[in-house]
Amino acid sequence: MLGIEGTYELIPPDFPAEKILAMANELLSIGISSEAINKAVGVTKASEAVEDAEQKLNDTRVVTLPSVSLVGGWTPEGWQIGVSVNVDLFSPGYSSQLKLAQARVELAQERLQVAETEARMAILNQQASLRQAKEDFERLQLEKEKWALEETIMKRKLETDLVSTDEWTDFQVKKQTFVSDLTQGAFDLVHACLAYRQTVGMKLDWEEILP
């Protein structure tokens, strides 16, 4: 009976399949929330720009508001107090400043809408990438069972001289190629999980994946 050497472990190192699949399923079950969209860098900056434009509009309105003052004096009817309202409607910049400030607010709001749409699309794209990585890894998990069964059969054939050492070596080479694909699939799924978490503003915590 020939000695059997060169076997390979079919479990990707350091990445437990059940754990990363559970994380992927959990992430995929989460809908796209307004909170996730608002956490996007582009949306945050656009929101700040809207607030800044609105503040400048309010400041402009205060500057152009009518000025009110109390006036008083002695008249033939006696001492009287009144209110004086001054509105400089003919100031060259009176209306143009308001229109410009209002236009800046509208532009900032439009840019915010664009940023929110882009953030939603980014989440959807990462979601699709995560789903694809999960499906690929699940397929590899099924193939792992197939390779394990084939290895058992090949061992028995080798022990009973039904296959040659060259055939066994060829099988091991092909199996190692699969093991490399399985390991890469695990890394791809972990990367997709972390990329999705980052996109929706969640904490990147390796301890949730690694044993």
Side-chain angles (χ1 to χ4, degrees):
M1 182 175 67
L2 296 174
I4 299 175
E5 296 179 355
T7 58
Y8 302 97
E9 178 59 53
L10 286 177
I11 301 175
D14 301 326
F15 292 102
E18 292 182 1
K19 203 166 186 178
I20 56 178
L21 282 171
M23 171 175 283
N25 286 326
E26 181 180 355
L27 291 172
L28 289 171
S29 68
I30 300 174
I32 301 178
S33 65
S34 57
E35 180 182 2
I37 293 175
N38 291 335
K39 284 182 179 180
V41 176
V43 174
T44 300
K45 291 182 178 179
S47 297
E48 292 173 352
V50 170
E51 293 176 0
D52 183 61
E54 290 176 341
Q55 182 60 53
K56 289 180 179 178
L57 175 59
N58 292 332
D59 294 342
T60 302
R61 284 172 174 165
V62 170
V63 171
T64 56
L65 283 176
S67 61
V68 180
S69 60
L70 292 175
V71 295
W74 183 263
T75 68
E77 290 79 18
W79 181 263
Q80 292 186 352
I81 297 178
V83 177
S84 174
V85 179
N86 297 317
V87 182
D88 190 2
L89 296 176
F90 301 100
S91 172
Y94 178 76
S95 61
S96 62
Q97 290 179 12
L98 278 178
K99 289 181 180 179
L100 181 59
Q102 288 170 345
R104 286 173 175 168
V105 170
E106 293 173 1
L107 178 60
Q109 290 173 338
E110 290 176 1
R111 288 175 174 172
L112 174 59
Q113 291 178 354
V114 171
E116 289 174 341
T117 300
E118 290 176 345
R120 182 179 293 275
M121 288 303 301
I123 294 174
L124 287 173
N125 289 337
Q126 286 294 346
Q127 195 176 67
S129 297
L130 173 57
R131 185 176 290 108
Q132 185 62 57
K134 172 180 169 290
E135 291 175 356
D136 290 344
F137 188 63
E138 287 175 332
R139 174 181 54 79
L140 289 168
Q141 289 296 303
L142 292 176
E143 290 184 19
K144 182 178 74 170
E145 297 178 4
K146 170 189 168 186
W147 276 98
L149 178 60
E150 289 185 2
E151 183 179 38
T152 300
I153 295 173
M154 286 293 291
K155 282 181 179 179
R156 290 175 180 173
K157 287 183 176 181
L158 183 66
E159 291 169 353
T160 55
D161 297 327
L162 293 177
V163 294
S164 66
T165 54
D166 289 341
E167 289 174 314
W168 171 253
T169 300
D170 182 62
F171 171 79
Q172 286 294 300
V173 170
K174 292 178 180 178
K175 177 184 169 184
Q176 177 58 26
T177 300
F178 167 74
V179 171
S180 298
D181 292 342
L182 182 62
T183 303
Q184 185 61 52
F187 275 102
D188 289 344
L189 183 54
V190 169
H191 179 269
C193 286
L194 294 177
Y196 185 81
R197 288 175 67 91
Q198 183 178 35
T199 302
V200 299
M202 297 174 68
K203 181 181 178 183
L204 301 181
D205 192 353
W206 282 91
E207 293 181 357
E208 295 187 15
I209 300 175
L210 297 177

